[in-house]
Amino acid sequence: RKEVEQDPGPFNVPEGATVAFNCTYSNSASQSFFWYRQDCRKEPKLLMSVYSSGNEDGRFTAQLNRASQYISLLIRDSKLSDSATYLCVVEKGTGRRALTFGSGTRLQVQP
Amino acid sequence: EAGVAQSPRYKIIEKRQSVAFWCNPISGHATLYWYQQILGQGPKLLIQFQNNGVVDDSQLPKDRFSAERLKGVDSTLKIQPAKLEDSAVYLCASSLSDTQYFGPGTRLTVL
């Protein structure tokens, strides 16, 4: 089993749609969770951290379920500029801030 | 604020040759990471430095890969000898706390 597993892509959605990405992780000792965004041929950039209480940043909502070891990202009112690969990222549980990245889910928002 | 700098941006070599990559982290960031990202996959941590000490190199293929951060600032990653499967983007990241900031990467092609 992979340490971090994500929905296989690509997701092709029209502008304005709501889209959800899911992710599961295997290490119950992990303490920190993130979503990173990676544009084609660019470096990953932090989109948002994920907290147990859930957190929202504009059109983006992230949720964490520690019991199920499940993380989600919801994007509302999709924009063309949201087209990218979304990487689910989990801290390794060593307390050293080392991260394990999922393989990513590609989103293509179409006009 | 200047970001993470990496060079070269692209490198093409033949198998069994040697190659070195350079990274200059964001000023003041004590933690530096090297990742390998193979096409279609998420970044995989190769090595993590805290200042000039190695924190985690469990996934570094030590028979051919080496890395150093002698003065606790910039770092070099070397591959000797290269194999075809080393073709990937090599990403450097640095952090002060939980957020990792990535450089643009070095795209290595091994022929």
Side-chain angles (χ1 to χ4, degrees):
Chain A
R1 182 184 175 187
K2 288 184 180 178
E3 292 180 70
V4 180
E5 294 201 65
Q6 294 188 239
D7 281 351
F11 282 49
N12 295 299
V13 302
E15 272 187 291
T18 295
V19 61
F21 302 140
N22 303 314
C23 167
T24 57
Y25 62 95
S26 61
N27 186 354
S28 59
S30 297
Q31 296 296 317
S32 302
F33 309 89
F34 312 90
W35 284 100
Y36 274 69
R37 169 190 170 134
Q38 187 169 27
D39 291 293
C40 188
R41 302 181 77 86
K42 298 285 189 181
E43 70 273 21
K45 292 184 179 178
L46 178 67
L47 178 65
M48 59 197 303
S49 300
V50 188
Y51 305 114
S52 295
S53 55
N55 49 304
E56 187 174 308
D57 183 2
R59 298 181 293 107
F60 298 83
T61 301
Q63 296 276 356
L64 167 66
N65 184 321
R66 285 186 185 270
S68 303
Q69 295 181 199
Y70 172 92
I71 306 164
S72 66
L73 177 68
L74 184 76
I75 305 175
R76 291 181 299 278
D77 188 22
S78 298
K79 312 290 185 190
L80 294 176
S81 56
D82 293 334
S83 297
T85 296
Y86 291 84
L87 298 162
C88 178
V89 185
V90 174
E91 182 265 335
K92 286 194 172 192
T94 60
R96 298 172 178 171
R97 297 180 178 149
L99 302 178
T100 301
F101 285 74
S103 294
T105 301
R106 187 167 162 229
L107 172 65
Q108 184 67 47
V109 182
Q110 295 166 338
Chain B
E1 179 183 85
V4 177
Q6 289 188 247
S7 68
R9 293 294 309 278
Y10 304 91
K11 190 73 177 179
I12 300 174
I13 62 173
E14 294 188 348
K15 60 182 179 184
R16 291 188 288 273
Q17 285 188 320
S18 302
V19 64
F21 313 127
W22 175 81
C23 171
N24 192 28
I26 293 172
S27 179
H29 282 196
T31 312
L32 184 148
Y33 313 80
W34 281 102
Y35 290 87
Q36 179 193 60
Q37 187 171 24
I38 292 172
L39 189 64
Q41 299 180 20
K44 182 183 87 170
L45 179 68
L46 292 175
I47 189 166
Q48 177 185 351
F49 291 96
Q50 180 73 21
N51 297 308
N52 61 348
V54 175
V55 174
D56 183 348
D57 64 356
S58 55
Q59 297 190 91
L60 186 73
K62 298 180 186 65
D63 57 334
R64 298 185 300 107
F65 286 64
S66 64
E68 59 184 16
R69 193 185 184 199
L70 291 175
K71 297 181 180 179
V73 180
D74 58 349
S75 175
T76 55
L77 176 70
K78 296 179 182 177
I79 307 175
Q80 180 179 15
K83 293 185 175 181
L84 296 176
E85 58 261 36
D86 298 332
S87 293
V89 176
Y90 291 83
L91 294 160
C92 179
S94 70
S95 70
L96 195 57
S97 59
D98 284 341
T99 302
Q100 293 188 21
Y101 298 88
F102 285 81
T106 297
R107 187 173 297 273
L108 174 67
T109 301
V110 182
L111 303 175

